[in-house]
Amino acid sequence: MDDEVIHEHALSLGRMLELTGLRLATAESCTGGWIGKAMTDVAGSSQWFDCGFITYSNNAKQRLLGISPDLFKSHGAVSEPVVRAMAEGALGQSEADLAVAVSGIAGPDGGSADKPVGLVWFAWSRRGRETRSEHVHFDGNRDAVRRATVLHAMDGLRPLILDA
């Protein structure tokens, strides 16, 4: 998957956001701001992109998104409760209507039997609605995992935008 595919997805999402008047925030860990970069590579994105939080460390997730340290102790950073809290925290700390959050293990190190390299948790949240989350295991090297994560995160926003 190349950068052109990611750009086309971002362009399509941008049009959808612009047409609906919705604003987006991102909360990213393993992608290091790549989702926000892809979205803001689209001309006119200031009309529908509110902000992005690059919260790579647990401390940053706590400080910037208000995540309880107990969630990290109980579940670890790459988990459903943490990624859901990231998406909800991004909404709470922004003026956005929608948020996407990702936390994963891009590799090549850092994996375990329970949480292998390539595991990524996603959460999508829309103000006033139930947060949706899921995990996916991507194959490939660090770059491939991160690219697939960016694309999957963007694809998961479509139903939230269309759900007027």
Side-chain angles (χ1 to χ4, degrees):
M1 165 185 0
D2 62 11
D3 291 336
E4 188 174 318
V5 172
I6 290 173
H7 183 73
E8 289 301 318
H9 275 71
L11 189 61
S12 172
L13 276 175
R15 286 185 188 130
M16 293 172 69
L17 289 163
E18 186 172 6
L19 287 172
T20 58
L22 297 172
R23 294 182 56 79
L24 174 66
T26 60
E28 303 181 59
S29 188
C30 63
T31 48
W34 198 339
I35 301 165
K37 179 213 179 302
M39 298 306 292
T40 59
D41 279 347
V42 175
S45 57
S46 61
Q47 298 301 308
W48 43 264
F49 188 84
D50 186 53
C51 64
F53 298 90
I54 303 171
T55 54
Y56 209 72
S57 71
N58 291 353
N59 190 3
K61 289 174 183 71
Q62 292 172 43
R63 212 174 51 255
L64 300 173
L65 300 173
I67 298 176
S68 167
D70 294 337
L71 285 181
F72 298 108
K73 291 176 190 164
S74 302
H75 304 282
V78 180
S79 66
E80 182 176 23
V82 167
V83 80
R84 289 174 69 90
M86 287 172 66
E88 292 164 3
L91 283 182
Q93 297 298 321
S94 73
E95 294 182 1
D97 306 290
L98 310 169
V100 59
V102 297
S103 184
I105 304 166
D109 302 321
S112 67
D114 291 344
K115 296 181 181 182
V117 169
L119 172 68
V120 181
W121 273 99
F122 297 84
W124 298 272
S125 193
R126 181 166 173 172
R127 209 171 282 285
R129 312 254 173 103
E130 183 68 28
T131 299
R132 185 173 67 85
S133 57
E134 69 181 24
H135 70 280
V136 178
H137 183 266
F138 297 112
D139 291 323
N141 64 20
R142 182 176 182 83
D143 189 63
V145 169
R146 293 175 78 215
R147 283 177 187 276
T149 299
V150 170
L151 192 59
H152 190 77
M154 290 192 296
D155 284 344
L157 286 166
R158 290 180 193 288
L160 285 183
I161 297 169
L162 295 172
D163 185 22

